[in-house]
Amino acid sequence: MISLEIKSSYKIHIIGSVGSGKTTLAKKLSSQLNIPFFELDNVVWKRAKTGDIRRSEEERDQYLNTIISSESWIVEGVHHKWVFQSFKNADLIIFLDTSYSKRNIRIVKRFFLQKVGIEKANYKPSFSIFKKMFEWNSYFENKSKPEILEMLSDFNDKVILSKDTNEIESILIKNNHF
């Protein structure tokens, strides 16, 4: 468990594929460091009982700008093409590069936990979404990941690349981020 002191304001961007551990890590850091966290999926979508409504690009960008203009934040998500300003404003960028097979296992586990009501979802956990998660995972591995790595090359001094969320604490300490 991360139990580190942090300066009064800190900005962290966590990126990775579906099933990489982004939300779990964001919740853990948020709780330990008393920093609010935001899921980028909730920046893209207005959540409603009748179904999700996609925000316009202008609304989405304005919402993200409101978040990243605040004193402290943690944002997490797979999105990368429209979040450059978040990368730029972040004090720390964590890229969770969890193995492809581990992510697939987590997708299966998450689906069953959501279906039985043990894990909360921002969406209705349908078989259609379940199938799409595997497609999104594959797309991430083959298309998005190389794009993200290229984008993050501009920010090498503040990027941590991790294969496993369990190693984040030692990496943060070793690199004097906290």
Side-chain angles (χ1 to χ4, degrees), residues 8 16 19 24 27 29 56 60 79 95 113 129 132 155 178:
S8 61
T24 301
K27 286 178 181 178
L29 288 173
S56 70
R60 177 201 69 196
H79 306 278
F95 181 23
L113 292 174
I129 292 286
K132 284 182 182 178
F155 306 104
F178 297 111

mmCIF file of all heavy atoms in Angstrom, residues 8 16 19 24 27 29 56 60 79 95 113 129 132 155 178:
data_model
loop_
_atom_site.group_PDB
_atom_site.id
_atom_site.type_symbol
_atom_site.label_atom_id
_atom_site.label_comp_id
_atom_site.label_asym_id
_atom_site.label_seq_id
_atom_site.Cartn_x
_atom_site.Cartn_y
_atom_site.Cartn_z
ATOM 1 N N SER A 8 1.312 19.584 -1.474
ATOM 2 C CA SER A 8 -0.108 19.946 -1.392
ATOM 3 C C SER A 8 -0.823 19.877 -2.739
ATOM 4 O O SER A 8 -2.024 19.682 -2.782
ATOM 5 C CB SER A 8 -0.272 21.333 -0.784
ATOM 6 O OG SER A 8 0.369 22.297 -1.600
ATOM 7 N N GLY A 16 -3.413 3.456 -19.872
ATOM 8 C CA GLY A 16 -3.204 2.043 -20.153
ATOM 9 C C GLY A 16 -4.458 1.464 -20.785
ATOM 10 O O GLY A 16 -5.485 2.127 -20.871
ATOM 11 N N GLY A 19 -8.371 -3.155 -18.527
ATOM 12 C CA GLY A 19 -7.842 -4.267 -17.743
ATOM 13 C C GLY A 19 -6.407 -4.105 -17.285
ATOM 14 O O GLY A 19 -5.830 -5.026 -16.707
ATOM 15 N N THR A 24 -8.019 0.949 -10.601
ATOM 16 C CA THR A 24 -7.604 0.451 -9.287
ATOM 17 C C THR A 24 -6.460 1.295 -8.739
ATOM 18 O O THR A 24 -6.485 1.711 -7.574
ATOM 19 C CB THR A 24 -7.195 -1.035 -9.379
ATOM 20 O OG1 THR A 24 -8.303 -1.782 -9.872
ATOM 21 C CG2 THR A 24 -6.742 -1.576 -8.040
ATOM 22 N N LYS A 27 -7.714 4.878 -7.832
ATOM 23 C CA LYS A 27 -8.460 4.876 -6.566
ATOM 24 C C LYS A 27 -7.508 4.763 -5.378
ATOM 25 O O LYS A 27 -7.674 5.445 -4.365
ATOM 26 C CB LYS A 27 -9.464 3.724 -6.539
ATOM 27 C CG LYS A 27 -10.662 3.934 -7.417
ATOM 28 C CD LYS A 27 -11.580 2.724 -7.376
ATOM 29 C CE LYS A 27 -12.788 2.907 -8.279
ATOM 30 N NZ LYS A 27 -13.656 1.715 -8.276
ATOM 31 N N LEU A 29 -4.215 5.574 -5.229
ATOM 32 C CA LEU A 29 -3.449 6.813 -5.068
ATOM 33 C C LEU A 29 -4.332 7.947 -4.549
ATOM 34 O O LEU A 29 -3.919 8.720 -3.686
ATOM 35 C CB LEU A 29 -2.805 7.217 -6.400
ATOM 36 C CG LEU A 29 -1.645 6.370 -6.877
ATOM 37 C CD1 LEU A 29 -1.223 6.772 -8.282
ATOM 38 C CD2 LEU A 29 -0.465 6.441 -5.922
ATOM 39 N N SER A 56 -20.198 16.376 -26.718
ATOM 40 C CA SER A 56 -19.562 16.916 -27.923
ATOM 41 C C SER A 56 -18.069 17.060 -27.621
ATOM 42 O O SER A 56 -17.661 17.102 -26.449
ATOM 43 C CB SER A 56 -20.167 18.273 -28.290
ATOM 44 O OG SER A 56 -19.789 19.250 -27.335
ATOM 45 N N ARG A 60 -16.483 17.899 -24.000
ATOM 46 C CA ARG A 60 -15.479 16.983 -23.451
ATOM 47 C C ARG A 60 -14.196 17.732 -23.128
ATOM 48 O O ARG A 60 -13.646 17.614 -22.029
ATOM 49 C CB ARG A 60 -15.216 15.873 -24.483
ATOM 50 C CG ARG A 60 -14.149 14.885 -24.100
ATOM 51 C CD ARG A 60 -13.607 14.170 -25.312
ATOM 52 N NE ARG A 60 -12.843 15.085 -26.151
ATOM 53 C CZ ARG A 60 -12.513 14.845 -27.413
ATOM 54 N NH1 ARG A 60 -12.900 13.739 -28.007
ATOM 55 N NH2 ARG A 60 -11.798 15.716 -28.098
ATOM 56 N N HIS A 79 -7.749 6.857 -23.267
ATOM 57 C CA HIS A 79 -7.786 7.920 -24.274
ATOM 58 C C HIS A 79 -6.429 8.619 -24.363
ATOM 59 O O HIS A 79 -5.792 8.878 -23.349
ATOM 60 C CB HIS A 79 -8.874 8.940 -23.919
ATOM 61 C CG HIS A 79 -10.211 8.311 -23.716
ATOM 62 N ND1 HIS A 79 -11.047 7.990 -24.759
ATOM 63 C CD2 HIS A 79 -10.845 7.914 -22.592
ATOM 64 C CE1 HIS A 79 -12.142 7.439 -24.284
ATOM 65 N NE2 HIS A 79 -12.046 7.375 -22.965
ATOM 66 N N PHE A 95 2.277 5.061 -17.263
ATOM 67 C CA PHE A 95 1.777 4.226 -18.356
ATOM 68 C C PHE A 95 1.815 2.780 -17.878
ATOM 69 O O PHE A 95 2.880 2.209 -17.674
ATOM 70 C CB PHE A 95 2.626 4.411 -19.609
ATOM 71 C CG PHE A 95 2.169 3.595 -20.798
ATOM 72 C CD1 PHE A 95 0.869 3.125 -20.924
ATOM 73 C CD2 PHE A 95 3.062 3.306 -21.813
ATOM 74 C CE1 PHE A 95 0.460 2.386 -22.024
ATOM 75 C CE2 PHE A 95 2.679 2.567 -22.928
ATOM 76 C CZ PHE A 95 1.374 2.104 -23.027
ATOM 77 N N LEU A 113 -17.657 -10.377 -12.176
ATOM 78 C CA LEU A 113 -17.881 -9.623 -10.939
ATOM 79 C C LEU A 113 -18.962 -8.556 -11.120
ATOM 80 O O LEU A 113 -19.763 -8.311 -10.221
ATOM 81 C CB LEU A 113 -16.574 -8.993 -10.445
ATOM 82 C CG LEU A 113 -15.505 -9.964 -9.943
ATOM 83 C CD1 LEU A 113 -14.211 -9.219 -9.615
ATOM 84 C CD2 LEU A 113 -15.990 -10.744 -8.736
ATOM 85 N N ILE A 129 -20.694 -5.525 -24.726
ATOM 86 C CA ILE A 129 -19.578 -4.747 -24.163
ATOM 87 C C ILE A 129 -18.407 -5.675 -23.839
ATOM 88 O O ILE A 129 -17.247 -5.338 -24.075
ATOM 89 C CB ILE A 129 -20.021 -3.976 -22.901
ATOM 90 C CG1 ILE A 129 -21.006 -2.869 -23.266
ATOM 91 C CG2 ILE A 129 -18.835 -3.406 -22.138
ATOM 92 C CD1 ILE A 129 -20.399 -1.659 -23.938
ATOM 93 N N LYS A 132 -16.560 -6.352 -26.908
ATOM 94 C CA LYS A 132 -15.856 -5.145 -27.349
ATOM 95 C C LYS A 132 -14.581 -4.914 -26.545
ATOM 96 O O LYS A 132 -13.594 -4.407 -27.084
ATOM 97 C CB LYS A 132 -16.767 -3.925 -27.252
ATOM 98 C CG LYS A 132 -17.790 -3.845 -28.353
ATOM 99 C CD LYS A 132 -18.628 -2.588 -28.230
ATOM 100 C CE LYS A 132 -19.671 -2.559 -29.326
ATOM 101 N NZ LYS A 132 -20.528 -1.376 -29.216
ATOM 102 N N PHE A 155 7.694 13.598 -23.019
ATOM 103 C CA PHE A 155 7.574 13.816 -21.580
ATOM 104 C C PHE A 155 8.397 12.809 -20.774
ATOM 105 O O PHE A 155 8.050 12.495 -19.642
ATOM 106 C CB PHE A 155 6.099 13.728 -21.155
ATOM 107 C CG PHE A 155 5.193 14.642 -21.918
ATOM 108 C CD1 PHE A 155 4.370 14.147 -22.914
ATOM 109 C CD2 PHE A 155 5.185 16.002 -21.657
ATOM 110 C CE1 PHE A 155 3.532 14.990 -23.625
ATOM 111 C CE2 PHE A 155 4.352 16.857 -22.367
ATOM 112 C CZ PHE A 155 3.521 16.345 -23.356
ATOM 113 N N PHE A 178 7.908 11.228 -4.970
ATOM 114 C CA PHE A 178 7.231 11.604 -3.734
ATOM 115 C C PHE A 178 8.240 11.713 -2.618
ATOM 116 O O PHE A 178 9.263 11.113 -2.630
ATOM 117 C CB PHE A 178 6.164 10.580 -3.326
ATOM 118 C CG PHE A 178 5.066 10.467 -4.333
ATOM 119 C CD1 PHE A 178 4.927 9.319 -5.080
ATOM 120 C CD2 PHE A 178 4.165 11.487 -4.522
ATOM 121 C CE1 PHE A 178 3.890 9.208 -5.989
ATOM 122 C CE2 PHE A 178 3.136 11.382 -5.443
ATOM 123 C CZ PHE A 178 3.007 10.234 -6.176
#
